[in-house]
Amino acid sequence: MTTPAPPPPPHTTPPTDLKEAMVNRPQPAQPTSAAPGAGPTAGLTGAVYGYLNKQDYRPGQALPAGLIAHRLRVKSADVNRALKELATAGVVVHQPNGPHGNAFYLPTGKRWVT
């Protein structure tokens, strides 16, 4: 006696309703404030820290907040907030009169620890 073939997988159709499409779309990382003592590993701050670790930025180089925001699919203002938290933790530095203007920079003489 043969066993019946399993049923085919359910066919998914694209949503026809815009509201349904918006509800079910993938969501980008959301900014969150780090809890006291959490360091640069909480929420978007942690995502920015991880992104910087994976890139080939050199000491003294300006960190492009707009590009980082684009890559992480978040707002530039949120990345700037995360960079400010990383500056408070000593991971990056903020130089209002830096070589590329008012920006966050990777400190000179420091190496990333992953």
Side-chain angles (χ1 to χ4, degrees), residues 5-51:
H11 179 28
T12 57
T13 57
T16 56
D17 183 16
L18 180 59
K19 184 177 179 182
E20 180 184 344
M22 293 303 289
V23 168
N24 295 324
R25 71 186 173 122
Q27 297 296 315
Q30 295 297 317
T32 59
S33 298
T41 57
L44 181 60
T45 303
V48 171
Y49 180 79
Y51 176 82

Side-chain angles (χ1 to χ4, degrees), residues 88-102:
T88 301
V91 176
V92 300
V93 293
H94 179 251
Q95 294 180 358
N97 299 315
H100 298 285
N102 184 7

